[in-house]
Amino acid sequence: MSASERPPTGSRLVGVLGGMGPRATVDFYDKLVAHTPADTDQEHLRVVIWADPSVPSRQAAILADGTDPSPWLQEGIDRLVTAGAELIVMPCNTAHAFVEGLVPEGVQFLSIVQVTVNAVAARPAGPVGLLATDAALAADLFQSSLHALGRQVLIPPPAAQARLTSLITQVKAGTADRSTEEQLREIIAELDARGATVTIAGCTEISVLLGNTPHDLPHDLVDPARELALATVAHALRPAPISGAVTP
Amino acid sequence: MSASERPPTGSRLVGVLGGMGPRATVDFYDKLVAHTPADTDQEHLRVVIWADPSVPSRQAAILADGTDPSPWLQEGIDRLVTAGAELIVMPCNTAHAFVEGLVPEGVQFLSIVQVTVNAVAARPAGPVGLLATDAALAADLFQSSLHALGRQVLIPPPAAQARLTSLITQVKAGTADRSTEEQLREIIAELDARGATVTIAGCTEISVLLGNTPHDLPHDLVDPARELALATVAHALRPAPISGAVTP
């Protein structure tokens, strides 16, 4: 993006709680840089990234009584705050099931779920396709908020949902290829056939898979990583809020 | 990369002094993740990135009596060490002119220049093309070390060097396109015509421009960002060295 608005002088230091997974953090940081209005290095935001891929599986914690990842997330938040972060974001949808209460007063936390729901609210009415991990679905990260907007939520049928889980695992393993992306497109086409007017790519690994410029999709896609990047830029360039509440 | 070697249990926390520029840091982190042997999130390295694009221009400091960037680099190193970094890398070639003496005892610093020179030493003999900023050339980051290997160093003629500077600025501004890349290929072709058997893409913005899989190049390219990523993975998975010396 070329500089239409600048400069970040006085902008707030952004903390990124990442590593869940690492490729999703690369993708988010890439989008954050791409959406920052800047012509030179010096106009970009100051960012500190704590990428801890050792955080126990969020899926296992929600679905299978696995280790609670909260202490790892708390450690990451503490390190980011110590490093000076004034605004914290976490480019992992599923981990948002654990983050409530972990961010100290006075530090703003931008929720990827909230910015995504806001983005859906700004689109034309109609059923919303939801691509997310089984754990994110079980934790009701998105559904109630979408219902509150009066939106019907469409999730893939069980076989397709199982395939989606496998695709996410492939992205994490670095083995995703053109056929992985093709299978994802088929899942989206099925949602389209059922009437979805917009689909949420509600797992940052799906964002990685679709890249920056998804094409040939039958309907509009909301990319939470992109929405979070846009919101992060907007909030980092804006004066600090009065309270440390979760916004926007 | 699929997991042939694992796991990073006991691996050292990697600190990345980044933001110079931001896109080069994205590119480096992308390569670091891609070159880590891991099938799951949990097998990846723990990484903390301090991305401060407000570091004053390294070029201006070397060539035009601009502000010394050392205090900014020192602040970044201090924050990375405070966050727990045990091994520090900096994906910016030119900034290496300022880093000597800034890394505390007991923390390892891997030099992008040194790993690049090591990579050249492992290639067949012959003249080495060098694509770097005017400042990196003025600071003799690479030339003496390459001469010490018995290598002739070829730099672009003045008009092409000026064009290279402009291409780097385009990457920093996010305005690089296919024609930018084409111009870079022409500069490399000219080095090839003069006998280069390998060329160093000695500025991380050039690495960004060429992407992960440069093709159609007339001879082999050494990508310092890739070499640094490989060395970082190797050293992070290895026990800590006895001294805090700059290695390898």
Side-chain angles (χ1 to χ4, degrees):
Chain A
M1 182 187 289
S2 192
S4 58
E5 182 190 2
R6 61 175 91 162
T9 312
S11 65
R12 285 185 290 155
L13 180 59
V14 175
V16 179
L17 187 55
M20 303 171 281
R23 281 180 184 80
T25 303
V26 172
D27 178 64
F28 171 75
Y29 183 36
D30 190 15
K31 286 169 178 163
L32 186 65
V33 171
H35 290 294
T36 302
D39 286 338
T40 65
D41 288 359
Q42 288 74 21
E43 292 167 306
H44 277 272
L45 297 171
R46 295 204 306 168
V47 178
V48 56
I49 301 175
W50 174 255
D52 182 4
S54 76
V55 177
S57 167
R58 286 68 66 194
Q59 300 246 36
I62 293 172
L63 300 174
D65 213 19
T67 307
D68 177 8
S70 301
W72 280 258
L73 300 178
Q74 185 69 69
E75 184 197 355
I77 290 167
D78 292 347
R79 295 220 194 193
L80 291 173
V81 172
T82 301
E86 298 161 281
L87 169 64
I88 292 181
V89 294
M90 181 169 66
C92 172
N93 291 272
T94 308
H96 277 65
F98 301 94
V99 84
E100 185 147 355
L102 301 185
V103 179
E105 281 291 317
V107 177
Q108 189 179 14
F109 179 78
L110 277 181
S111 158
I112 196 171
V113 173
Q114 191 57 56
V115 298
T116 299
V117 171
N118 291 353
V120 170
R123 312 281 170 127
V128 179
L130 178 57
L131 302 176
T133 62
D134 294 342
L137 295 177
D140 185 29
L141 279 187
F142 290 102
Q143 300 97 306
S144 295
S145 303
L146 294 168
H147 291 149
L149 293 177
R151 300 291 189 129
Q152 185 189 349
V153 178
L154 304 175
I155 62 170
Q161 179 67 28
R163 200 141 36 97
L164 184 65
T165 301
S166 152
L167 303 184
I168 291 168
T169 306
Q170 285 171 48
V171 173
K172 286 184 182 292
T175 58
D177 57 17
R178 195 167 294 258
S179 116
T180 318
E181 196 185 332
E182 200 40 59
Q183 290 181 61
L184 179 58
R185 288 176 190 282
E186 284 169 18
I187 294 171
I188 295 170
E190 191 272 341
L191 295 172
D192 188 71
R194 286 160 63 200
T197 56
V198 60
T199 284
I200 297 174
C203 171
T204 43
E205 269 69 28
I206 298 174
S207 304
V208 172
L209 197 52
L210 289 171
N212 284 307
T213 50
H215 49 88
D216 296 338
L217 294 178
H219 57 254
D220 201 11
L221 196 84
V222 170
D223 172 5
R226 178 177 178 276
E227 298 301 330
L228 187 62
L230 289 169
T232 302
V233 170
H235 281 79
L237 295 175
R238 196 187 288 177
I242 289 163
S243 88
V246 172
T247 53
Chain B
M1 183 187 287
S2 191
S4 58
E5 180 191 3
R6 63 176 90 158
T9 312
S11 66
R12 285 185 290 154
L13 180 58
V14 175
V16 179
L17 187 55
M20 303 170 281
R23 281 180 184 81
T25 302
V26 172
D27 178 66
F28 172 75
Y29 183 36
D30 190 16
K31 286 169 180 163
L32 185 65
V33 171
H35 289 294
T36 302
D39 286 338
T40 65
D41 288 359
Q42 288 74 21
E43 292 167 306
H44 277 272
L45 297 171
R46 294 205 306 168
V47 177
V48 56
I49 301 174
W50 174 255
D52 183 4
S54 75
V55 178
S57 166
R58 287 66 68 194
Q59 299 246 38
I62 294 171
L63 300 175
D65 213 20
T67 306
D68 177 8
S70 301
W72 280 258
L73 301 178
Q74 185 70 68
E75 184 197 357
I77 290 167
D78 291 347
R79 296 221 194 192
L80 290 172
V81 172
T82 301
E86 298 161 281
L87 169 64
I88 291 180
V89 293
M90 181 169 67
C92 172
N93 290 272
T94 309
H96 277 65
F98 301 94
V99 84
E100 184 147 356
L102 301 185
V103 179
E105 282 290 317
V107 177
Q108 190 180 12
F109 180 77
L110 277 180
S111 158
I112 197 171
V113 173
Q114 191 58 56
V115 298
T116 299
V117 170
N118 291 353
V120 170
R123 312 280 169 126
V128 179
L130 177 58
L131 302 176
T133 62
D134 294 342
L137 295 178
D140 185 28
L141 279 187
F142 289 102
Q143 300 96 307
S144 294
S145 303
L146 294 168
H147 291 149
L149 294 177
R151 300 291 188 126
Q152 184 189 349
V153 178
L154 304 174
I155 62 170
Q161 179 67 26
R163 198 140 37 97
L164 184 66
T165 301
S166 152
L167 303 184
I168 292 168
T169 305
Q170 286 171 47
V171 173
K172 286 184 183 292
T175 58
D177 57 16
R178 195 168 295 258
S179 116
T180 318
E181 197 185 331
E182 200 40 61
Q183 290 180 59
L184 179 59
R185 287 175 191 282
E186 283 169 19
I187 295 170
I188 295 170
E190 190 272 342
L191 294 172
D192 188 72
R194 285 160 63 200
T197 56
V198 59
T199 285
I200 297 174
C203 171
T204 42
E205 269 68 28
I206 298 174
S207 304
V208 172
L209 197 53
L210 289 170
N212 285 306
T213 51
H215 50 87
D216 295 339
L217 294 178
H219 57 254
D220 202 12
L221 197 83
V222 170
D223 173 4
R226 177 177 180 275
E227 299 301 330
L228 186 62
L230 289 168
T232 302
V233 170
H235 281 78
L237 295 174
R238 195 188 287 175
I242 290 164
S243 88
V246 172
T247 54

